[in-house]
Amino acid sequence: MLLKRMLNQSSPLDRTFQALADPTRRALIERLSRSPASVSDLARPLAMSLPAVMQHLAVLEGSGLVVSEKTGRVRTCRIEPQAMSLAEEWINARRAEWERRLDRLGNYLQQLKVDGGKNGSDE
Amino acid sequence: MLLKRMLNQSSPLDRTFQALADPTRRALIERLSRSPASVSDLARPLAMSLPAVMQHLAVLEGSGLVVSEKTGRVRTCRIEPQAMSLAEEWINARRAEWERRLDRLGNYLQQLKVDGGKNGSDE
């Protein structure tokens, strides 16, 4: 039910961050960042049932972070970097914002120091 | 209950991504990236009750993305960039991995082309 709600009502960024908020799903992404893999290859090192792994993969596919393709009886998964870029861009925009703020604060403190110096020598 | 489970059992990265998986919490982070703000300033533009806003702030504080301090009757919130850096580093590491993979693939294709060219001229 949680999965269904996530897939129906949330924005792409919600789904991406939600997908990344689980250690198993991050492990799957880490594995797939190295190379595409079949569902059974992905499941092998994990201490959980195949259906549990498939549910995590469904969340990853719902978020767009992973795509899969079935050839014969083998489903192969691979990373789709676009969805991760969205998350990356959002974080970068926040960082840019607070770095600008720190710069402004630094300039202000510098100005205070300059003005303080002036006052000190003038008076 | 979900909040309690999140705060008790999950890793810092789980909590960070979970905290970012909600549009209201991202709006709060966007606002706080520009400057610190009181809880009532944060709540004003949002179409929800103060307790609902405070619950979102509790999730953000639980993830370490936001810290707050009470002076008299005013609680002021600000961004704590460290937790965001964790998420950023995790994403960057994945990107580095798949870019290395694409480079290897590119080199391999280049090599095929060179070898193909050689074979073509030798034979």
Side-chain angles (χ1 to χ4, degrees), chain A residues 26 34 88 95 101, chain B residues 14 26 34 88 95 101:
Chain A
R26 287 198 304 278
R34 294 196 292 275
E88 214 174 356
R95 166 174 301 282
R101 169 154 60 97
Chain B
D14 290 4
R26 288 199 304 277
R34 293 196 293 274
E88 214 174 356
R95 167 174 301 282
R101 169 153 62 96

Side-chain angles (χ1 to χ4, degrees), chain A residues 11 13-15 17-18 20-23 25-27 29-30 32-36 79-81 84-85 87-88 90-92 94-95 97-98 101 104, chain B residues 11 13-15 17-18 20-23 25-27 29-30 32-36 78-79 81 84-85 87-88 90-92 94-95 97-98 101 104:
Chain A
S11 78
L13 262 183
D14 290 3
R15 288 198 295 271
F17 285 127
Q18 183 69 55
L20 295 176
D22 177 275
R25 290 196 293 267
R26 287 198 304 278
I29 293 277
E30 288 174 22
L32 291 173
S33 296
R34 294 196 292 275
S35 72
I79 287 282
E80 173 54 60
M84 192 86 99
S85 298
E88 214 174 356
W90 187 87
I91 291 179
N92 287 341
R94 303 294 78 70
R95 166 174 301 282
E97 194 103 55
W98 73 62
R101 169 154 60 97
R104 280 196 303 268
Chain B
S11 77
L13 261 183
D14 290 4
R15 287 198 295 271
F17 284 128
Q18 183 69 55
L20 296 176
D22 177 275
R25 291 197 292 267
R26 288 199 304 277
I29 293 277
E30 288 175 22
L32 290 173
S33 295
R34 293 196 293 274
S35 73
R78 61 177 174 77
I79 286 283
M84 193 86 99
S85 298
E88 214 174 356
W90 187 88
I91 291 179
N92 286 341
R94 302 294 78 71
R95 167 174 301 282
E97 195 103 54
W98 74 61
R101 169 153 62 96
R104 280 196 303 268

Side-chain angles (χ1 to χ4, degrees), chain A residues 34-50:
Chain A
R34 294 196 292 275
S35 72
S38 70
V39 173
S40 46
D41 282 348
L42 290 171
R44 200 163 301 129
L46 299 174
M48 61 177 67
S49 68
L50 189 62

